Amino acid sequence: MSSPPVAPPGWSRWLVPPAALSVHLSIGQAYAWSVFKPPLESALNLDGTQSALPFQLAIVMLGLSAAFGGTLVERNGPRWAMTVALVCFSSGFLISALGAETKQYWLIVLGYGFVGGIGLGIGYISPVSTLIKWFPDRPGMATGIAIMGFGGGALIASPWSAQMLDSFGGDNDGIALALLVHGLSYAVFMTLGVFLIRVPRTEVPQGTRSAPPSAFEGVQVSARSAVRTPQFWCLWIVLCMNVTAGIGILEKAAPMITDFFADSSTPVSVSAAAGFVALLSAANMAGRIGWSSTSDLIGRKNIYRVYLGVGALMYLLIALFGDSSKPLFVLCALVILSFYGGGFATVPAYLKDLFGTYQVGAIHGRLLTAWSLAGVLGPLIVNWIADHQKDAGKHGSALYTLSFGIMIGLLVVGFVANELVRPVHARHHVPAPREAADVERQQSA
C-alpha cells in the first residue's frame, strides 16, 4: 500500500481525476456539518458555540495534518495517503456515532473534529501532486476538477444528511445511525479512489494534446527549501487573504442577506436566504474548475490579480450599494465566492509553477496553514464587528460596513503580496540528478 502504483503503458490519465474526486466529494461533507447542528443541540442540550466545535476542530486539524503530513504523502504516494484519509475520515464518523448513541459529546468532538480532521487534511492534499504530474499541460484544470469536489461535496451531503435525519429521527439514536451510515458509505466510495489511483511514468503522459514538457523537468524545489523562500510566504499571505474574504460571507450568508434587506419593502424570507446559501455553494464549486482552468490560459499571477483586485471591487459595491439592490448584492457575493473556490483550486498549480512537482504536495500541505488561520479570522471579523455594531444600536447593512472595509484592505494586502512573487532563486533548486534518482526509486519500489 505504501508503494505508489505506476501506471502500465496505455493507462488513460482521465481515470485519475475520478479517483481524486472520490476522495474530495467525500471529505467535502465537512461543509454540510450545519445540518447536524440543530438536532445535536436539541438531543444533547448544546448551545450554538458547542455544536460548532467539531467543525472548527476539523478545519484546524485539516491545516495541521496537511502541513505536517505533506512530506509523508509525497514519500509514500497517493494510494497510501488516500488509505489514511479513508481510515481517519470514516473512523471519525464511527466514533461520533458512538458518542451520539451514548450521549458523550466529547466523543463526537474527538471523532469528527480530531480523527476526521486528520482525514480531511491528508485526503485534501493526497491527489494534488499526482494530478499535476499527469497533466503537466493543464495543471490548473486538473487540480480544479478534484478540488471542485471538496466544494461540491456539501451539495450531495446536505440533502442526504437531512433526509436521513428525517427518516431516522432527530434524537440521539437517529443522529448516531445517520453518522454510522455516513462513515460506512464514505468508506466504500473512497475505496474506489484508492484502487484506481496511479502515478505516471517519467515520460509525457498518455493523451496530452501536444508534447508538453515532462512533469519531472524544470525548476524543482524541496518542501524544506520552499518554506525558506519569500515566494512561499507571499503565496501564504495571498491564500490567507483570499480565503478570509470569501469565508467571511460564506459563514454568515443567510443572516447577512436577511439583515441587509430587513428594512426594505421586500425582506428576505428564511427559504430565500437558504436558497442564497445554495447559490453560494454552487458558485464556490463552479469557481474551482472554471477559474483554475482559466489560469492555464492567462497565468497564475494574472488570475490572482482578478481574485484579489476584482474581489475588493465586489466588496466595495456591496458596501456602497448592496442594500439598495438584491440582484447586485447576490451577484457580487457569487463572484466573491467563485474567487474563494478558485483560489483554493489554483494555488497547487501556482506552487507547481514556482517550485516544480518534486514535493509540491508537501509544499501545498504547509501552505494550507493559511486556511486554518483564515477559517478563524474571517468569521471572527464579520461576527465580532456585527455583534458590537448591534450593541451600539445599528441595524441592517450598517452591521457589516466596517467589516467589509477590513475585507477590502485584506484583499489589497493579498494583491500586493501577489505582485511581489518572483521566480525562485537557483540556490533553492534541487539538483536534477538527485530528483531523478528519487523518482526512479519511487517507481521501482
Side-chain angles (χ1 to χ4, degrees):
M1 188 63 70
S2 63
S3 299
V6 180
W11 183 270
S12 174
R13 65 177 181 166
W14 292 104
L15 294 173
V16 181
L21 272 174
S22 73
V23 174
H24 274 249
L25 282 171
S26 298
I27 63 177
Q29 186 279 337
Y31 279 148
W33 172 251
S34 60
V35 175
F36 284 96
K37 282 171 61 69
L40 280 171
E41 292 169 11
S42 176
L44 300 181
N45 194 28
L46 306 173
D47 59 30
T49 301
Q50 290 173 321
S51 66
L53 185 57
F55 172 77
Q56 291 174 318
L57 180 57
I59 295 300
V60 170
M61 291 308 301
L62 186 158
L64 293 178
S65 61
F68 290 104
T71 302
L72 289 175
V73 171
E74 287 293 319
R75 183 183 304 155
N76 296 325
R79 176 169 286 182
W80 175 89
M82 288 182 177
T83 302
V84 171
L86 184 160
V87 171
C88 291
F89 189 66
S90 297
S91 297
F93 277 105
L94 301 184
I95 296 171
S96 298
L98 178 62
E101 180 64 30
T102 60
K103 296 187 177 181
Q104 299 293 315
Y105 187 59
W106 69 271
L107 281 174
I108 298 178
V109 176
L110 173 68
Y112 191 92
F114 184 79
V115 178
I118 294 173
L120 282 178
I122 299 299
Y124 191 88
I125 64 173
S126 61
V128 168
S129 62
T130 305
L131 283 166
I132 288 175
K133 289 170 184 174
W134 273 108
F135 292 86
D137 52 334
R138 288 181 283 181
M141 180 212 68
T143 55
I145 290 174
I147 295 176
M148 175 187 67
F150 190 83
L155 295 180
I156 299 172
S158 292
W160 182 43
S161 301
Q163 181 60 48
M164 276 196 286
L165 290 170
D166 287 340
S167 300
F168 301 152
D171 58 1
N172 62 300
D173 292 333
I175 296 170
L177 185 54
L179 291 170
L180 177 64
V181 172
H182 274 75
L184 297 177
S185 299
Y186 284 132
V188 172
F189 192 55
M190 293 171 76
T191 299
L192 298 176
V194 170
F195 287 106
L196 195 60
I197 195 68
R198 297 288 188 278
V199 296
R201 297 173 180 274
T202 55
E203 67 264 19
V204 174
Q206 292 283 334
T208 50
R209 293 171 300 175
S210 57
S214 169
F216 302 107
E217 294 178 356
V219 172
Q220 304 295 340
V221 181
S222 69
R224 178 174 296 188
S225 296
V227 297
R228 299 172 181 172
T229 65
Q231 288 84 353
F232 175 88
W233 293 105
C234 283
L235 278 189
W236 194 96
I237 293 171
V238 166
L239 183 64
C240 186
M241 299 301 100
N242 192 60
V243 173
T244 300
I247 209 168
I249 286 183
L250 185 62
E251 189 271 340
K252 202 175 173 66
M256 183 181 292
I257 193 172
T258 302
D259 289 337
F260 255 78
F261 299 99
D263 298 330
S264 70
S265 58
T266 55
V268 176
S269 65
V270 174
S271 59
F276 174 62
V277 174
L279 281 175
L280 292 182
S281 297
N284 177 12
M285 182 176 65
R288 293 174 185 245
I289 180 62
W291 292 120
S292 60
S293 297
T294 303
S295 76
D296 289 332
L297 302 176
I298 69 173
R300 252 59 75 173
K301 193 166 189 174
N302 285 332
I303 201 68
Y304 273 95
R305 285 169 172 154
V306 174
Y307 297 158
L308 300 160
V310 178
L313 177 61
M314 294 297 103
Y315 259 114
L316 181 61
L317 289 175
I318 293 177
L320 294 177
F321 310 110
D323 59 348
S324 62
S325 172
K326 286 181 185 175
L328 177 66
F329 179 93
V330 172
L331 177 61
C332 290
L334 291 177
V335 172
I336 291 171
L337 262 294
S338 76
F339 292 161
Y340 169 81
F344 278 123
T346 309
V347 80
Y350 207 162
L351 291 172
K352 177 259 181 186
D353 293 348
L354 289 171
F355 303 109
T357 60
Y358 176 52
Q359 290 188 335
V360 68
I363 299 170
H364 185 220
R366 287 158 172 77
L367 194 76
L368 289 180
T369 55
W371 186 3
S372 294
L373 177 60
V376 175
L377 189 60
L380 179 64
I381 291 172
V382 175
N383 287 291
W384 187 82
I385 291 177
D387 289 343
H388 278 71
Q389 297 289 61
K390 186 175 294 185
D391 292 340
K394 296 184 179 181
H395 56 86
S397 61
L399 297 174
Y400 304 98
T401 303
L402 177 57
S403 59
F404 284 6
I406 294 174
M407 294 298 180
I408 293 171
L410 293 177
L411 287 169
V412 171
V413 170
F415 189 94
V416 172
N418 183 54
E419 293 302 308
L420 295 176
V421 174
R422 298 288 187 272
V424 177
H425 194 279
R427 69 175 178 272
H428 298 291
H429 296 182
V430 174
R434 173 181 158 189
E435 190 230 344
D438 283 352
V439 172
E440 184 178 353
R441 184 167 58 255
Q442 273 192 347
Q443 294 188 347
S444 61

